[in-house]
């Protein structure tokens, strides 16, 4: 069966006509901000108070784009007769976003929840050397991190909370019993 001459042209025109009648989906970006999905990976925000300078994020980064500097300080004893302790103090925390591949490994390995994904995506620079952002800029992005999604009401209660609740109920019951005997 031979194709009808001009059928390809007719099919192409049909596609063009269908496309012309659809609603446009182009957004005028600088004037209208895009609506981003809730778990968008923009940049990494740093919650500095939680950082213990354990260096796990820098060690696990496949691109070696995280730079951390710290020093040790001596902390006086918490109780009289105790011993002095030393702790790491963060001096520099920087991420080179020209090297970062946005894999999220640093966020996943952080045991103290100091790193978070921020949906912020407008951080372009005119010079590639300016894409290394220090801890003050990373802290600013921390405040754009969305709140975690609500827990599923039908989900099981976490084991830790269930154990704590049972212990609290036992303590409350034990405290209530002696009070009843006295009256």
């Amino acid at each position: 069966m031979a194709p009808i001459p001009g059928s390809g042209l007719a099919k192409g025109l049909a596609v063009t006509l269908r496309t012309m009648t659809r609603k446009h989906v182009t957004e005028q970006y600088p004037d209208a901000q895009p609506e981003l999905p809730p778990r968008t990976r923009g940049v990494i925000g740093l919650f500095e108070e939680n950082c213990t300078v354990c260096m796990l994020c820098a060690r696990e980064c496949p691109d070696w784009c995280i730079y951390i500097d710290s020093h040790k300080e001596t902390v006086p004893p918490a109780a009289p007769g105790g011993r002095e302790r030393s702790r790491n103090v963060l001096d520099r925390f920087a991420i080179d976003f020209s090297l970062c591949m946005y894999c999220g490994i640093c966020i996943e390995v952080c045991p103290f929840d100091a790193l978070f994904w921020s949906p912020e995506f407008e951080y372009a620079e005119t010079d590639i050397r300016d894409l290394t952002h220090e801890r003050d800029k990373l802290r600013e992005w921390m405040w754009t991190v969305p709140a975690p999604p609500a827990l599923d009401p039908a989900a099981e209660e976490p084991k830790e909370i269930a154990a704590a609740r049972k212990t609290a109920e036992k303590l409350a019951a034990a405290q209530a019993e002696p009070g009843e005997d006295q009256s």
Side-chain angles (χ1 to χ4, degrees):
M1 190 172 198
I4 301 172
S7 64
L9 178 65
K11 287 179 183 178
L13 285 173
V15 169
T16 303
L17 289 173
R18 269 197 314 266
T19 305
M20 285 176 53
T21 58
R22 290 187 187 151
K23 183 181 178 239
H24 296 285
V25 293
T26 303
E27 293 183 21
Q28 301 301 321
Y29 163 63
D31 301 328
Q33 292 293 322
E35 192 163 322
L36 300 171
R39 310 239 340 146
T40 299
R41 289 184 175 190
V43 291
I44 298 168
L46 170 68
F47 191 54
E48 199 173 325
E49 289 78 15
N50 285 359
C51 183
T52 61
V53 197
C54 66
M55 307 286 240
L56 275 174
C57 55
R59 273 187 266 144
E60 295 297 324
C61 179
D63 289 334
W64 293 70
C65 64
I66 300 174
Y67 309 108
I68 301 173
D69 292 328
S70 67
H71 69 274
K72 290 197 181 283
E73 277 186 0
T74 306
V75 179
R83 66 180 182 90
E84 292 183 338
R85 302 200 181 263
S86 66
R87 68 179 180 105
N88 287 329
V89 177
L90 186 64
D91 292 329
R92 179 180 187 226
F93 193 105
I95 299 177
D96 187 351
F97 285 103
S98 65
L99 295 176
C100 182
M101 63 183 195
Y102 303 91
C103 63
I105 292 173
C106 57
I107 295 169
E108 295 297 320
V109 300
C110 181
F112 302 104
D113 290 332
L115 298 172
F116 294 89
W117 280 118
S118 166
E120 185 69 35
F121 63 93
E122 296 174 320
Y123 58 97
E125 299 288 344
T126 56
D127 188 2
I128 195 168
R129 291 173 289 202
D130 295 334
L131 282 172
T132 300
H133 295 291
E134 299 291 333
R135 70 182 188 187
D136 56 339
K137 187 68 174 176
L138 299 175
R139 178 183 258 306
E140 284 178 31
W141 286 328
M142 184 61 209
W143 307 121
T144 63
V145 172
L151 296 175
D152 183 6
E156 262 185 43
E157 185 177 37
K159 294 176 197 172
E160 297 86 356
I161 294 175
R165 185 180 40 76
K166 287 179 185 175
T167 304
E169 288 172 357
K170 286 180 185 175
L171 287 173
Q175 289 175 352
E177 288 177 12
E180 292 173 1
D181 293 341
Q182 292 175 357
S183 26

